[in-house]
Amino acid sequence: MILALLTSAACGGGGEPAEGAADTLSVVATTTQVADFARQIGGGAVHVTQLLRPNVDPHDFDPSPADLQALADADVIVENGVGFEPWLDEAVSSAGHAGEVVDASRGAHLREGHHEEEAAEHPDGEHEHGEHDPHIWHDPANAKVMAANIEQALAKADPSGAAGYAQRRRAYDAELDRLDDWIEQRISTIPRSDRKVVTNHDAFGYYLDRYGLTYVGAIIPSFDTSAEITGKNLTDLVAGVKNAGVKAIFSESTLPPKAAQALAAEAGVQVVGGENALYGDSLGPAGGDADTYITMMRHNTEVIVDALG
């Protein structure tokens, strides 16, 4: 029943490029997260074109002609890295971009390997995201690394603005440190026996590792929302939820909620979704409660604490 309710995720749509002022650096950022980092570090010295729209599943993204033109015109392209944008190399080549392409993940801490369920679905060992979990931004320590990589790239492309980029990056680092401390304090209010998490797909490993929560499982037991699952995966997950005494199943903003709702009903626990859905692969729309990296992390933390605490 749960397997039948699982529907395909919505396809990503490209962002519309806009012209910045003549004296600003033209930056194209692939994901909502790295676009926010670029805006925080670049300030008024950069114009950021964001390819992936908020609240859209990035795994099926296909660049539009407008996206390719933005890539062609960019002074700097910023990517998440770790295989999160498997379409990017071909898009950059097609666009004829000859400038800087920044892998924001360079030097970040990476979680290794895949879950046994995923390996069973890919017996040849091939995975769209490679050997590491690409959701690196869910650890604020990695966010600091990503911001530093972006700062260095902007300074290289615009040496006259280097001091400003460095100043904004230092200020943002301090914000990220305060965020990290706040999340740790909030998670500490959850009884240790209740720090168990089930989500739509395996997107929160870095967050769980950093703050001492236990990953019980995911409806799609993969880093990639397009991965195939089996009825056995879901039957085993229902049993795991019951055996572990999990209090809630968290739906994600970019994925249909029906499978999570069905799984929760089968396991006899609450499902957390709607406006309280977690932001896994994308930030939320402008003006919402998760429209920046920091507000997204605060939203996710409050939702988790409210459900498990």
Side-chain angles (χ1 to χ4, degrees), residues 172-191:
Y172 193 54
D173 274 1
E175 288 189 60
L176 293 173
D177 286 340
R178 289 191 291 271
L179 172 71
D180 189 30
D181 291 342
W182 177 84
I183 294 174
E184 185 174 8
Q185 187 277 326
R186 294 295 290 134
I187 296 297
S188 71
T189 66
I190 304 173

Side-chain angles (χ1 to χ4, degrees), residues 65-303:
D67 296 329
L68 295 179
Q69 186 61 54
L71 290 170
D73 296 340
D75 296 312
V76 177
I77 296 172
V78 183
E79 65 170 318
N80 179 84
V82 205
F84 198 59
E85 304 99 329
W87 46 268
L88 183 61
D89 288 347
E90 182 178 350
V92 169
S93 178
S94 297
H97 174 78
E100 187 82 3
V101 179
V102 185
D103 182 346
S105 71
R106 188 179 66 250
H109 163 69
L110 301 181
R111 296 177 66 231
E112 295 185 2
H114 288 263
H115 295 291
E116 294 178 1
E117 297 93 333
E118 190 173 4
E121 294 297 331
H122 301 274
D124 58 359
E126 293 295 326
H127 307 285
E128 184 172 346
H129 286 323
E131 297 181 352
H132 297 99
D133 182 350
H135 303 86
I136 57 175
W137 62 88
H138 283 296
D139 181 342
N142 277 344
K144 291 175 68 174
V145 173
M146 299 171 83
N149 286 331
I150 293 169
E151 179 219 330
Q152 292 167 14
L154 297 182
K156 180 179 178 181
D158 175 25
S160 66
Y165 300 135
Q167 181 180 22
R168 284 186 288 273
R169 195 267 304 161
R170 289 192 295 269
Y172 193 54
D173 274 1
E175 288 189 60
L176 293 173
D177 286 340
R178 289 191 291 271
L179 172 71
D180 189 30
D181 291 342
W182 177 84
I183 294 174
E184 185 174 8
Q185 187 277 326
R186 294 295 290 134
I187 296 297
S188 71
T189 66
I190 304 173
R192 291 190 179 276
S193 60
D194 291 333
R195 297 179 193 177
K196 300 166 184 175
V197 174
V198 175
T199 56
N200 280 108
H201 85 296
D202 187 7
F204 296 92
Y206 290 95
Y207 183 98
L208 304 184
D209 287 351
R210 183 157 188 89
Y211 300 112
L213 293 100
T214 298
Y215 171 82
V216 175
I219 296 167
I220 305 171
S222 169
F223 301 144
D224 185 348
T225 59
S226 63
E228 295 182 5
I229 64 172
T230 68
K232 183 178 184 302
N233 293 143
L234 298 173
T235 300
D236 290 346
L237 182 56
V238 169
V241 167
K242 292 179 177 179
N243 291 337
V246 173
K247 295 179 68 174
I249 294 171
F250 296 95
S251 185
E252 296 174 44
S253 65
T254 57
L255 293 170
K258 291 184 178 179
Q261 291 166 350
L263 180 70
E266 188 79 10
V269 299
Q270 68 166 321
V271 63
V272 180
E275 65 180 16
N276 290 323
L278 297 182
Y279 291 86
D281 284 342
S282 171
L283 304 184
D289 59 357
D291 59 351
T292 69
Y293 173 76
I294 287 178
T295 58
M296 177 274 292
M297 293 289 282
R298 292 180 68 91
H299 167 91
N300 284 352
T301 299
E302 291 289 18
V303 167

Side-chain angles (χ1 to χ4, degrees), residues 20-27 37-48 154 158 161 164-165 168:
D23 58 348
T24 60
L25 203 63
S26 176
V27 177
F37 296 150
R39 293 186 186 102
Q40 299 295 335
I41 305 307
V46 305
H47 170 75
V48 179
L154 297 182
D158 175 25
Y165 300 135
R168 284 186 288 273

Side-chain angles (χ1 to χ4, degrees), residues 6-18:
L6 187 64
T7 59
S8 60
C11 291
E16 292 299 325

